[in-house]
Amino acid sequence: MLGDLLGETQGHDTGRRVLAAEDGHVVVEVSFEGTGNYYGTAVTGFGTYDSELGADGLLHGEGQGVDMTADGQTVTWHGIGLGHFTEGGGTSWRGSLFFSTSSAVFDRLNHVVGLFEYEVSADGKSTGKFYEWK
């Protein structure tokens, strides 16, 4: 069951590269940066994920990143998810996030599994929401 909203993000791709492309099997690495919040506290961050296109047309992704407050408190995350291409050439993702932080402000994140909804437009702009899995 979806629980409390943990945070939101807005961002854009900063780079893409093909890691593998043979026999219809494609793996793409995407780097991105953005701004957002956890529990209403503003953060900026960046991350990288690998996206693998399956024979069934589904995207399988795995990534990691770091978010930071203006005063230097950090949250790292690792995520895994499934996606699909959207009509306009973007992608839509759903998956899970695991967090790690030594920040007292964000300590609650150490004890939850996050679920995300993430939308990326064809031009690389993205929005996402993270929820606690209860």
Side-chain angles (χ1 to χ4, degrees), residues 104-124:
V105 172
F106 298 126
D107 181 65
R108 180 176 170 192
L109 291 171
N110 288 322
H111 310 282
V112 300
V113 175
L115 298 177
F116 67 82
E117 301 173 337
Y118 206 77
E119 306 298 326
V120 184
S121 63
D123 65 0

Side-chain angles (χ1 to χ4, degrees), residues 76-100:
T76 60
W77 56 266
H78 182 163
I80 189 165
L82 292 176
H84 64 273
F85 290 103
T86 59
E87 191 172 308
T91 54
S92 180
W93 294 89
R94 302 295 181 267
S96 60
L97 291 168
F98 301 92
F99 303 96
S100 180

Side-chain angles (χ1 to χ4, degrees), residues 29-32 46-50 62-65 77:
E29 178 184 82
V30 178
S31 295
F32 60 93
F46 57 95
T48 302
Y49 66 91
D50 293 346
E62 186 170 348
Q64 58 191 354
W77 56 266

